[in-house]
Amino acid sequence: MKEEVDGITKLIGQGMLAEGLLTQEQLNLLLSAQPKRGQRLGEVAVELGMIEESRLAEFLAKFFNLPHVKLEEQEELDPSAAELIPETLARRYVVVVIRRESSGLTVAMADPLDVRAIDAIRLETKCRIKKVVASRSAILRSIDRVYHAPSRIASSMDHLFEGDTVETEDAAGVQIEQLKYEASDAPVIQFVNLLLMRAIQ
């Protein structure tokens, strides 16, 4: 198994070299440092500043013949699908479910070789998994949006409707703008009842 992993690591390194992402000297350094760090070759390259995280994601998608997503557009991610797995699992493996279809779940991963992540999601959801690749930071931002938008919106509403926290019209305007910003970060249909109740109060 170790020999297989080492072989894939070298193939990825050669691929990065062929794409002009690394020099031979950089690749030699990475192949030497990677086993000691216990990380993927690409992760080490990012940490050492040899390649940008977004470029690594694009390369891995091409290398493994998988779709690449940036997760920058709201429509790229369905929050109701993402919440099919717990946040702890999403953060542990740096994955996010972006769509649910009849054929299964589409999952964005920073590490498409992580079979443990796929097994964990499959066990949790009992669904087939289709992999796509995104950068680590983009996935983590998506996780923040999906799992913490509800609490942020509720908190913004609490402050907005607490009369003693709004001292001036300007302050109220700031609260409203903040609420609008939070609302734009994730679908708020599920909070309509809460909005109405707070407005009545």
Side-chain angles (χ1 to χ4, degrees):
M1 182 66 179
K2 183 179 183 300
E3 290 76 11
E4 180 182 351
V5 173
D6 289 343
I8 294 175
T9 296
K10 290 179 180 178
L11 285 175
I12 291 175
Q14 289 299 322
M16 295 171 74
L17 181 65
E19 289 288 320
L21 301 177
L22 298 173
T23 65
Q24 185 62 58
E25 183 179 0
Q26 288 175 321
L27 177 57
N28 293 340
L29 176 61
L30 286 176
L31 291 174
S32 175
Q34 183 262 338
K36 301 173 185 176
R37 289 173 174 256
Q39 297 171 293
R40 299 292 192 192
L41 192 73
E43 292 176 344
V44 179
V46 170
E47 285 193 1
L48 295 181
M50 296 180 181
I51 182 174
E52 293 183 359
E53 195 177 48
S54 58
R55 187 67 186 90
L56 173 64
E58 292 174 0
F59 165 76
L60 290 175
K62 180 179 179 180
F63 185 85
F64 290 106
N65 195 29
L66 294 170
H68 171 256
V69 293
K70 294 184 178 180
L71 294 178
E72 294 175 353
E73 301 296 331
Q74 193 69 28
E75 59 268 19
E76 284 186 302
L77 188 150
D78 178 1
S80 64
E83 291 177 348
L84 291 173
I85 65 173
E87 180 182 0
T88 51
L89 190 155
R91 290 193 183 279
R92 178 179 180 182
Y93 295 108
V94 193
V95 297
V96 63
V97 179
I98 63 174
R99 280 189 302 277
R100 182 176 188 177
E101 301 167 318
S102 59
S103 58
L105 305 179
T106 299
V107 179
M109 310 179 66
D111 180 7
L113 287 176
D114 195 342
V115 294
R116 291 179 301 174
I118 294 299
D119 289 342
I121 298 171
R122 188 180 292 119
L123 182 64
E124 180 72 29
T125 64
K126 307 297 187 295
C127 294
R128 294 182 178 180
I129 307 300
K130 174 185 176 183
K131 297 187 290 185
V132 299
V133 181
S135 71
R136 180 183 181 87
S137 59
I139 292 174
L140 291 176
R141 286 195 298 270
S142 295
I143 291 173
D144 287 338
R145 291 202 305 271
V146 167
Y147 295 97
H148 295 285
S151 61
R152 292 202 310 271
I153 294 175
S155 176
S156 296
M157 292 176 62
D158 284 337
H159 289 301
L160 177 61
F161 289 105
E162 286 177 4
D164 58 344
T165 63
V166 180
E167 298 178 357
T168 67
E169 291 184 4
D170 288 342
V174 170
Q175 292 287 349
I176 292 171
E177 288 304 313
Q178 177 66 17
L179 181 57
K180 288 180 179 178
Y181 174 80
E182 301 290 2
S184 68
D185 213 22
V188 293
I189 296 175
Q190 57 186 315
F191 303 113
V192 169
N193 288 336
L194 179 60
L195 284 166
L196 292 175
M197 288 176 62
R198 295 293 178 84
I200 291 171
Q201 291 172 359

